[in-house]
Amino acid sequence: MRPVNSRYVLIGAAFAVCVALLAVLSVAQYNRAFDRVLPITVLADRSGLLMEPGSPVKLRGVEVGSVAEVTSDGTGARLAVELDPAQAERIPAQVTANLVPATVFGAKYVELRPGPDTGEHIAAGAVLNRARVTVELDHTFDHVMDTLRGVPPSKLNAALTSVSGSLRGNGDRIRALIADTDGYLRAFNPNLPELESRLPQVTAVAEHYRDVTDDLTATASNLGGTGSTLVEQKRAFAGFLLSLTELGNGTGEFLDDNGPPLVSALDELQPTAGLLRRYSPVVPCFFGGMVHNGDLIRAVTGGPEFGGTHPNTHVTVSMLPGIPAYEYPQNLPKTGVDTGPDCHGLPEVRGIPPYVNYDTGANPYRGTDESPRLNPDLLAVYLFGPLSPLGGGR
């Protein structure tokens, strides 16, 4: 026998160790032992069929992780989920999970649905409670079988015969109904995000209704009492309605007889009403000024009991030069002058208000005439009495 070379033995052993190490590394790589993951937990009432480790986890159709383990804690299913840390930064903290199948008979995957954006992303160790699981065919068949077991065959046959008879000959109408429903759903689907955003507001509305429930109940009770009163006093109520009918008939006859004059009167009053409406802002100013002036007068002449300083009024009368008489045609009156509403500082005027020339044809502030003037009519009255022809007598 030839002696065994120890060198070849060592090389063979090293090769076997390398092969075993590569196999272990391949298995570990397949099990994602070297991947950096962010672990979270999803809790559901059940995991359903075909939910196995390795099932994808998706957000808006993009795979963001996978299911690492599916276990049961006695009250429901517990799914250990491993998220890709790079994708986890784009997943909001307020997120929910659904266990849905890709097809009717396909394997399930975890669908993440984002909630309100709070600016925070999901963290390691997060627990998503109450994950919703889609209804599966086996559960549907179980419910159908339970229903069929509880229904007598004769009644089931009669019901199916009735359904068959109602569907026979109505294929076109059913097709049109399905097409209309499809069109309605296609038009409604774009509004689902807005509907979803408005649903939280329903809670606030429900709370408002809850707060006023007692008042609504009391109102309903009062309406019941009102209804009972109307029933008890139905004769009087019928008489009231009859008198109201007579009033309406009389009013109708009156309007028929006097309708044109009323319309004419309203037409005639329209310019006056328009003028009053335009100058209506001056009315509060005027009455406010009257009240303020009354307070000022009472403060002076009202006596001590009204907070005044003097119990009476002292008036000083003096003679002032008169203004020139009206002259033609300079002082002819003008109509239709439109200056617009203006309170001029009322109700409390501060200082002396500025003089406003309203251009009515007369100017009382054009100055005084201190030169002596002779009034022949007044002189004739003084000299010959009121019956003098020169004084305007008869």
Side-chain angles (χ1 to χ4, degrees):
M1 178 181 291
R2 297 177 58 184
V4 179
N5 192 339
S6 59
R7 178 184 176 186
Y8 294 144
V9 173
L10 292 176
I11 292 175
F15 178 74
V17 170
C18 290
V19 171
L21 182 60
L22 289 175
V24 171
L25 292 176
S26 298
V27 173
Q29 179 65 25
Y30 177 78
N31 293 328
R32 303 179 63 183
F34 303 106
D35 293 346
R36 293 179 59 250
V37 295
L38 188 145
I40 65 171
T41 302
V42 177
L43 302 179
D45 295 336
R46 56 187 176 84
S47 61
L49 300 175
L50 300 179
M51 173 56 73
E52 299 176 351
S55 298
V57 179
K58 297 182 179 181
L59 175 68
R60 296 190 179 96
V62 179
E63 186 171 344
V64 295
S66 63
V67 177
E69 186 181 10
V70 181
T71 58
S72 175
D73 56 3
T75 59
R78 185 182 186 92
L79 281 68
V81 175
E82 296 178 347
L83 298 178
D84 184 0
Q87 298 290 344
E89 296 179 354
R90 300 181 177 89
I91 302 175
Q94 300 294 332
V95 69
T96 58
N98 296 332
L99 308 184
V100 297
T103 60
V104 178
F105 300 100
K108 285 187 175 62
Y109 67 92
V110 179
E111 179 189 33
L112 300 180
R113 302 194 64 183
D117 188 6
T118 59
E120 300 178 356
H121 60 81
I122 194 167
V127 178
L128 307 182
N129 295 314
R130 299 187 300 274
R132 187 174 63 87
V133 184
T134 57
V135 179
E136 298 172 321
L137 290 178
D138 58 336
H139 287 79
T140 304
F141 289 148
D142 290 340
H143 294 313
V144 171
M145 292 303 298
D146 292 339
T147 304
L148 293 177
R149 291 190 188 98
V151 178
S154 59
K155 293 184 178 180
L156 179 60
N157 183 37
L160 293 177
T161 302
S162 301
V163 173
S164 175
S166 61
L167 295 178
R168 186 180 297 110
N170 294 318
D172 294 337
R173 298 177 62 183
I174 295 175
R175 178 181 57 80
L177 176 62
I178 295 175
D180 294 340
T181 304
D182 180 69
Y184 169 76
L185 293 177
R186 290 179 182 274
F188 183 73
N189 284 337
N191 298 319
L192 286 178
E194 183 178 0
L195 177 63
E196 185 177 0
S197 64
R198 295 299 181 94
L199 286 178
Q201 301 178 4
V202 177
T203 304
V205 176
E207 291 178 354
H208 288 305
Y209 279 113
R210 183 191 61 188
D211 296 337
V212 300
T213 300
D214 296 336
D215 296 335
L216 291 177
T217 304
T219 302
S221 300
N222 295 334
L223 288 176
T226 303
S228 301
T229 303
L230 289 176
V231 172
E232 294 174 357
Q233 303 293 331
K234 59 182 179 180
R235 293 183 179 274
F237 187 66
F240 168 73
L241 293 178
L242 181 60
S243 61
L244 189 63
T245 303
E246 294 177 354
L247 175 62
N249 294 333
T251 304
E253 295 177 358
F254 173 78
L255 293 178
D256 290 338
D257 297 337
N258 301 281
L262 287 175
V263 173
S264 300
L266 293 176
D267 291 339
E268 295 295 334
L269 289 175
Q270 184 175 0
T272 303
L275 181 64
L276 293 177
R277 180 183 62 185
R278 183 181 182 191
Y279 284 88
S280 60
V282 180
V283 176
C285 302
F286 172 75
F287 286 104
M290 294 289 291
V291 172
H292 182 65
N293 290 338
D295 295 338
L296 294 177
I297 294 174
R298 280 193 300 271
V300 176
T301 65
E305 62 272 13
F306 292 98
T309 57
H310 299 81
N312 48 24
T313 303
H314 298 277
V315 179
T316 301
V317 180
S318 60
M319 302 297 293
L320 295 175
I323 61 175
Y326 287 100
E327 299 178 359
Y328 180 86
Q330 291 84 359
N331 298 126
L332 288 176
K334 296 181 180 179
T335 59
V337 177
D338 188 3
T339 57
D342 192 349
C343 289
H344 299 293
L346 289 175
E348 298 183 11
V349 180
R350 304 295 181 182
I352 300 176
Y355 165 67
V356 179
N357 185 9
Y358 288 101
D359 193 20
T360 59
N363 185 5
Y365 298 97
R366 58 179 176 173
T368 58
D369 188 0
E370 299 182 0
S371 60
R373 288 176 177 270
L374 180 63
N375 190 333
D377 295 337
L378 185 59
L379 180 61
V381 171
Y382 284 153
L383 294 177
F384 304 104
L387 298 180
S388 171
L390 297 177
R394 292 180 176 86

